[in-house]
Amino acid sequence: MLFRNVKGHPGASVAIGVLASRARVADLFGCKKEELGWLVKSCAEHPVQPVVVDGPAPCQEVVHLAGDPDFDLNRLIPAPTNTPVDAGPYITLGMCYATHPDTGLSDVTIHRMCIQSKDELSIFLQPGSRHIGAMAERATELGQPLPISVSIGVDPAIEVLSCFEPPTTPLGFNELSIAGALRQRPVELVKCVSINEHAIANAEYVIEGEILPGSNHVVEDQNSHTGYAMPEFPGYNGPASHECWLLKVKAVTHRRNPIMQTCIGPSEEHVNMAGIPTEASILTMIDKALPGKVVNCYSHRAGGGKYMAVLQCRKTVHTDEGKQRQAALLAFSAFPELKHVILVDEDVDIFDTNDMLWAMNTRFQGDRDIITIPGVRCHPLDPSSSPDYSPSIPDVGVSCKTIFDCTVPFHLKDRFKRAPFLDVDPERWLHG
Ligand code: MN
């Protein structure tokens, strides 16, 4: 949806849901929707580094400096407040770009940011994260601010592929290089106007600023006092953090008649951004360890793209029995926030939930096909992942990872052939 008439923001538009369809993302990426995980896997294996172009870039057609007398983020950025209990207006699709103070290596990651005053944003960096959070912590140790650019409204390849996480993209792996691989053309960066950092040249908006050292005690709902941040991808309102970092804004640049792009947490859009890189990470790990044994992977929308993966497994010889469970263990290693893995055979359509649940109803017995791995660090936004939910959970964010093995035991394969239609060769069905 594109909103062209935004109160208080003449000349600007707001777009939401651009990536909220897997088929549309596949069109934008130039493949079929079933192929996205494999395509993106190959992009991560053949990175094309970004390049710096001369300014001023399209994102710098209009420049507002924080020293200007009327500078006010609320007036400059049409950031939506989506629910009555949100902490404030949120920037949810900002490509945060920063450089490690020691290594000089850059990273792009999406973080939630709330407008707190005319030149201040709160930015939530998961403690212990291996991306920009690690850079802010290191800059704090050195007593320095961390320059950061926030590019909004960019190529969808950048938006989806910036969501890769370790171990596929460890600290120092610039995810812009994966977007470059997809386009077979480097992402173009431009020097910022007010800080020593780069921004994405073709963005609609860029916010330039610094994360202040040791500032990670900003109360996210200091203006609203609701106790909540914003709706998060698991479908609940996320709690307001008391440990946000302070992003002091130095400038806002944008195109003429800019489009503010946004998304909300509980959405198919989040599923695609979080899920497609997750599929690629899982396929990368499994393809190395068990080549040919997993045909495809889907980060199911019911898990927001993070909590649930469906693996389509291939068993061709008797020693393949059990490898499907090994594949599930590899999936957990490939993506630490994964909670549930559902294993199905290759005759099941993993993108069709009815087909997947059919497998669970006819190829699964709860007492022998559920494997539980309790007490593993998972993801804090799952509200059941909490000590008061179960004594088996020692801390918020610890979960019981579970495998649901809905594959047919190899030695019983003959009994589980789908009923044929008349166009099937009976000899082949009976003896093939
Ligand atoms: Mn990153």
Side-chain angles (χ1 to χ4, degrees):
M1 286 190 287
L2 185 65
F3 298 86
R4 293 181 187 279
N5 188 6
V6 184
K7 206 193 294 177
H9 296 275
S13 310
V14 175
I16 188 166
V18 174
L19 303 170
S21 142
R22 190 175 173 100
R24 187 158 62 236
V25 173
D27 277 349
L28 290 164
F29 283 22
C31 70
K32 295 185 189 145
K33 69 179 169 54
E34 296 80 13
E35 297 168 349
L36 281 161
W38 286 106
L39 172 69
V40 166
K41 166 184 179 287
S42 103
C43 294
E45 288 162 353
H46 304 93
V48 174
Q49 296 301 326
V51 294
V52 177
V53 298
D54 289 336
C59 68
Q60 296 168 332
E61 286 175 349
V62 183
V63 174
H64 305 270
L65 297 173
D68 297 348
D70 57 348
F71 187 90
D72 184 353
L73 287 172
N74 288 290
R75 195 181 57 77
L76 291 170
I77 308 282
T81 305
N82 289 302
T83 82
V85 294
D86 280 15
Y90 270 93
I91 295 158
T92 54
L93 260 181
M95 307 299 120
C96 301
Y97 194 74
T99 301
H100 196 282
D102 296 334
T103 65
L105 297 169
S106 303
D107 184 273
V108 63
T109 299
I110 299 173
H111 297 279
R112 71 170 194 251
M113 286 169 285
C114 184
I115 297 178
Q116 299 291 351
S117 78
K118 66 185 175 61
D119 66 346
E120 289 176 334
L121 297 173
S122 58
I123 177 168
F124 182 70
L125 308 173
Q126 193 89 47
S129 115
R130 301 314 300 154
H131 294 234
I132 287 170
M135 297 177 184
E137 284 162 20
R138 179 61 183 144
T140 291
E141 282 171 14
L142 298 169
Q144 300 169 1
L146 180 74
I148 182 168
S149 69
V150 180
S151 302
I152 304 165
V154 298
D155 183 332
I158 299 172
E159 293 167 347
V160 174
L161 302 178
S162 70
C163 295
F164 265 103
E165 295 191 31
T168 309
T169 59
L171 185 61
F173 191 117
N174 187 342
E175 296 92 346
L176 290 180
S177 64
I178 312 177
L182 181 76
R183 295 298 184 219
Q184 287 297 295
R185 204 178 67 203
V187 172
E188 295 186 345
L189 299 172
V190 68
K191 193 159 181 2
C192 291
V193 300
S194 68
I195 56 168
N196 183 25
E197 189 46 271
H198 296 95
I200 296 164
N202 291 315
E204 294 286 325
Y205 284 92
V206 174
I207 301 170
E208 303 181 2
E210 292 175 340
I211 297 178
L212 299 188
S215 66
N216 52 329
H217 45 74
V218 176
V219 176
E220 201 167 15
D221 62 338
Q222 60 180 313
N223 295 314
S224 70
H225 308 288
T226 58
Y228 291 105
M230 60 171 211
E232 284 286 1
F233 75 89
Y236 302 93
N237 276 49
S241 171
H242 290 214
E243 294 178 321
C244 285
W245 293 74
L246 178 61
L247 199 170
K248 193 83 173 167
V249 176
K250 302 286 180 189
V252 171
T253 74
H254 57 80
R255 292 175 180 241
R256 281 181 212 101
N257 300 117
I259 301 172
M260 170 72 189
Q261 197 183 343
T262 189
C263 71
I264 53 167
S267 65
E268 184 78 8
E269 187 154 41
H270 185 283
V271 171
N272 287 320
M273 288 195 294
I276 293 166
T278 298
E279 291 162 17
S281 295
I282 291 171
L283 291 172
T284 299
M285 183 77 89
I286 293 175
D287 203 45
K288 269 187 202 149
L290 299 171
K293 302 305 176 194
V294 169
V295 183
N296 211 347
C297 167
Y298 174 43
S299 285
H300 198 281
R301 69 167 297 168
K306 286 180 180 254
Y307 290 170
M308 178 181 280
V310 191
L311 302 186
Q312 192 180 26
C313 305
R314 173 180 286 157
K315 298 181 191 176
T316 52
V317 291
H318 79 95
T319 51
D320 286 344
E321 185 52 48
K323 284 189 180 164
Q324 77 280 10
R325 297 185 180 194
Q326 177 68 14
L329 296 173
L330 290 162
F332 288 133
S333 319
F335 188 70
E337 295 170 352
L338 184 59
K339 182 182 179 188
H340 291 147
V341 173
I342 300 178
L343 302 168
V344 297
D345 292 292
E346 60 184 312
D347 63 342
V348 174
D349 180 354
I350 57 173
F351 299 97
D352 178 345
T353 298
N354 282 329
D355 214 34
M356 183 184 85
L357 292 177
W358 168 80
M360 184 172 283
N361 281 289
T362 66
R363 298 175 168 184
F364 170 90
Q365 293 291 334
D367 61 336
R368 54 147 282 170
D369 291 324
I370 289 178
I371 301 102
T372 57
I373 312 165
V376 188
R377 181 69 56 182
C378 216
H379 194 273
L381 288 175
D382 165 8
S384 71
S385 177
S386 153
D388 55 8
Y389 190 90
S390 163
S392 68
I393 298 175
D395 188 17
V396 168
V398 171
S399 268
C400 179
K401 297 199 185 232
T402 303
I403 302 167
F404 301 84
D405 186 350
C406 310
T407 63
V408 173
F410 185 77
H411 71 286
L412 297 176
K413 256 193 146 177
D414 277 354
R415 199 186 300 162
F416 288 85
K417 284 195 272 191
R418 281 175 181 253
F421 286 93
L422 273 175
D423 60 349
V424 169
D425 173 14
E427 278 309 304
R428 229 183 125 194
W429 192 85
L430 287 167
H431 309 293

